[in-house]
């Protein structure tokens, strides 16, 4: 029998990582959310790369939907390459990073702080440069992460983001569901997504779709598919996919849809029907009926958290698919754990 | 001899489209840029889909680099699906649309205006709902566009964006280069990109890369590749590509790099070297030496405009590649000219 890969071990630690985060920092995260609500910033900016940028995207959709505050994703190169004269007085900058040490992220946070933004860092390495230089730093408590493919640190960052937004918007129902997240994520580890193993094991190309908060999880899934299994997966919203990307869909083209039961669910189902009619092989991760071959989802009690449950089930699937394709998910060729971009 | 496709005819009209835009609206665009500079909004929001969203991305990078104002891309679904309580008092919303009639774009513009944003519409159909309901509407003057694959309307929208940013930032050198854009774009039509015809004609998958304003053009090129030639092309910044996407690069994997001589050029060259070392087949569109098989670029006199010259040369190439693959670039299966998303 094979020893467990780091990716599998760390995916299985996601529920405990979130439990540690909530034990240690739920009060801090909620207090931060209430403080930001009182500030009522005209804009929130985010700065992150790779997987952490998908957690930033999840924060963006949750915050825009709940509070209407526009969220701008800032390329770290604005500071590190373009030396832009940032105008961020009264704004809030969220920096999200596993390692907290990429030089371009450090540079943008410093420039934003100098420009008058309140800087908030969500990082997994407490004594990292990003954490040390932020106005408010909240440790993600995910524990050491060894696999190049980040998993538990992404789930912890997204859970932290959801907690801040819940407190900001005063959404007690979301806060209650967040308290139950460790249990829901443990159930997500057991969800049977084997129906996708064979289609992904033989695919060279596929789409991951979602809308709103679920789109951020589709983007994370697409990156993991490339990174761990050399599948050219790309993410689209179920709206954008009709503007050209639909052209690629053909018989047996796998499409994984992240479909929580939020306000976008009806439009999402209609899009999946159209993708099926074009020949696509549709797999909706959903808690209710949907077109295609449904993948079971461990419900979290809130449509905005269900994408995190789906992400955990997806990581478990992808670790298997990577090995089925003959790869080691922990050691993708060419890639390093910390990408020190300038 | 084949009659010209609509895509080829409309690509060839891009220089005249920009000339018409500048003749009719240069003063209006410059006045708008100066007005917005005086407003000093804390945030600029954009709303667009598909090709128009790439023009919005080009606006975002130019404006952030030149003025430091954060630019938030808002999903139209915030209004049409999620009914979010938009907070945009004092903000500016740019809506970019060829047809000006997609219901979700109309809905977000109306919601933003009601929330106190100044709404600016860049549309190609003057009497469209988006143009009629905006505070300021500037017609793109691209003329009727028939091909499903938009070309001249994208170039006109991007030229309008550059003009607004140049006036906002008081960048006389950029304004002067914009006046010469019709001539540069006419030269771009004659640039020889045939070196990419064979690699793209046989590729099933490829990357388009860039950084800053050039990344928006890489995104547009990736969409066109899917739409007109069923190639799974995906765009990445030369920084993000090191976070996982690099995993797909193998021998003969085509990589088209949009590499203007701006501040990111040195980092871009280093990234292309790494992509070559991983086996990638690198084609830089560049006005100076770069790793790989260089594609000639008609220089515009400003690094921020060179990506538009590259886009025109790319459209010409892609129309040929679509036909070489046995397709009609004007009539991609499944797709319509106006996508009426809700």
């Amino acid at each position: 029998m094979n020893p467990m890969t780091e990716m599998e071990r760390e995916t299985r630690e996601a529920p405990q990582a979130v439990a540690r985060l909530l034990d240690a920092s739920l009060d801090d995260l909620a207090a931060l959310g209430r403080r930001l609500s009182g500030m009522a910033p005209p804009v929130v900016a985010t700065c992150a790369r790779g997987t952490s940028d998908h957690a930033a995207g999840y924060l963006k959709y949750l915050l825009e939907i709940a509070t209407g505050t526009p969220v701008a994703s800032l390329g770290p190169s604005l500071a590190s390459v373009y030396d832009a004269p940032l105008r961020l007085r009264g704004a809030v900058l969220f920096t999200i990073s596993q390692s907290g040490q990429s030089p371009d992220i450090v540079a943008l946070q410093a420039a934003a702080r100098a420009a008058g933004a309140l800087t908030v860092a969500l990082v997994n390495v407490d004594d990292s440069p990003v954490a040390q230089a932020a106005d408010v730093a909240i440790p993600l408590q995910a524990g050491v992460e060894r696999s190049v493919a980040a998993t538990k640190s992404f789930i912890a960052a997204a859970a932290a983001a959801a907690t801040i937004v819940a407190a900001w918007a005063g959404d007690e129902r979301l806060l209650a569901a967040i308290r139950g997240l460790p249990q829901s994520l443990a159930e997500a580890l057991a969800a049977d997504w084997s129906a996708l193993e064979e289609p992904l094991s033989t695919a060279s190309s596929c789409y991951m779709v979602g809308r709103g908060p679920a789109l951020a999880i589709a983007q994370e899934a697409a990156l993991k598919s490339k990174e761990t299994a050399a599948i050219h997966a790309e993410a689209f919203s179920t709206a954008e996919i009709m503007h050209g990307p639909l052209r690629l869909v053909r018989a047996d083209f796998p499409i994984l849809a992240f479909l929580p039961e939020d306000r976008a669910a009806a439009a999402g189902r209609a899009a999946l029907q159209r993708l099926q009619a074009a020949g696509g092989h549709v797999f909706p991760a959903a808690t209710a009926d949907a077109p295609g071959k449904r993948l079971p989802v461990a419900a979290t009690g809130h449509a905005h958290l269900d994408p995190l449950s789906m992400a955990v089930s997806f990581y478990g699937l992808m670790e298997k698919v990577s090995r089925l394709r003959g790869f080691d998910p922990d050691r993708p060729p060419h890639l390093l754990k910390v990408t020190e971009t300038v």
Side-chain angles (χ1 to χ4, degrees), chain A residues 13-309:
Chain A
E13 284 175 28
Q16 295 96 298
V18 173
R20 280 194 299 270
L21 172 73
L22 298 179
D23 282 348
S25 305
L26 179 61
D27 292 347
D28 290 346
L29 289 164
L32 175 63
R34 289 190 299 270
R35 175 181 173 191
L36 299 181
S37 175
M39 272 182 65
V43 57
V44 164
T46 64
C47 176
R49 285 205 184 278
T51 289
S52 295
D53 199 33
H54 305 141
Y58 179 72
L59 170 66
K60 170 186 168 76
Y61 290 112
L62 287 189
L63 191 62
E64 288 181 343
I65 290 170
T67 76
T69 309
V71 180
S73 168
L74 299 186
S77 61
L78 276 181
S80 64
V81 173
Y82 290 106
D83 197 21
L86 294 180
R87 290 175 46 87
L88 292 171
R89 187 157 305 281
V92 174
L93 174 81
F94 280 94
T95 304
I96 305 180
S97 173
Q98 204 285 122
S99 69
Q101 63 179 283
S102 196
D104 57 346
I105 307 272
V106 174
L108 189 94
Q109 183 182 258
R113 198 177 183 193
L118 177 77
T119 56
V120 177
L122 303 178
V123 289
N124 199 35
V125 178
D126 306 6
D127 59 356
S128 58
V130 167
Q132 289 180 333
D135 292 308
V136 181
I138 298 191
L140 290 176
Q141 311 283 354
V144 174
E145 194 172 56
R146 289 188 178 84
S147 174
V148 169
T151 53
K152 60 180 181 170
S153 67
F154 170 77
I155 300 292
T163 309
I164 293 166
V165 172
W168 186 326
D171 186 338
E172 292 298 331
R173 199 168 71 77
L174 182 53
L175 271 175
I178 287 168
R179 288 194 185 89
L181 199 50
Q183 176 61 34
S184 316
L185 297 182
E187 290 161 17
L189 287 170
D192 179 9
W193 283 31
S194 60
L196 246 179
E197 281 176 24
E198 193 275 333
L200 284 187
S201 296
T202 55
S204 58
S205 210
C206 70
Y207 284 160
M208 309 284 178
V209 302
R211 205 160 175 183
L215 176 58
I217 274 54
Q219 288 165 337
E220 166 63 0
L223 179 62
K224 283 290 179 293
S225 303
K226 284 194 273 274
E227 189 174 21
T228 66
I231 300 167
H232 193 175
E234 188 174 6
F236 287 101
S237 86
T238 41
E240 287 290 339
I241 205 166
M242 304 307 168
H243 280 259
L246 185 60
R247 179 66 180 83
L248 283 193
V249 175
R250 58 186 186 273
D252 295 332
F253 188 90
I255 298 169
L256 170 52
F258 297 88
L259 192 73
E261 287 302 304
D262 71 359
R263 286 177 181 238
R269 283 189 183 85
L272 295 188
Q273 272 170 344
R274 195 162 163 203
L275 292 167
Q276 266 196 321
H281 201 185
V282 174
F283 296 83
T287 53
D289 277 351
K293 168 80 186 141
R294 185 153 74 92
L295 306 173
V297 171
T300 62
H302 198 295
H304 281 351
L305 298 181
D306 284 348
L308 303 190
S309 157

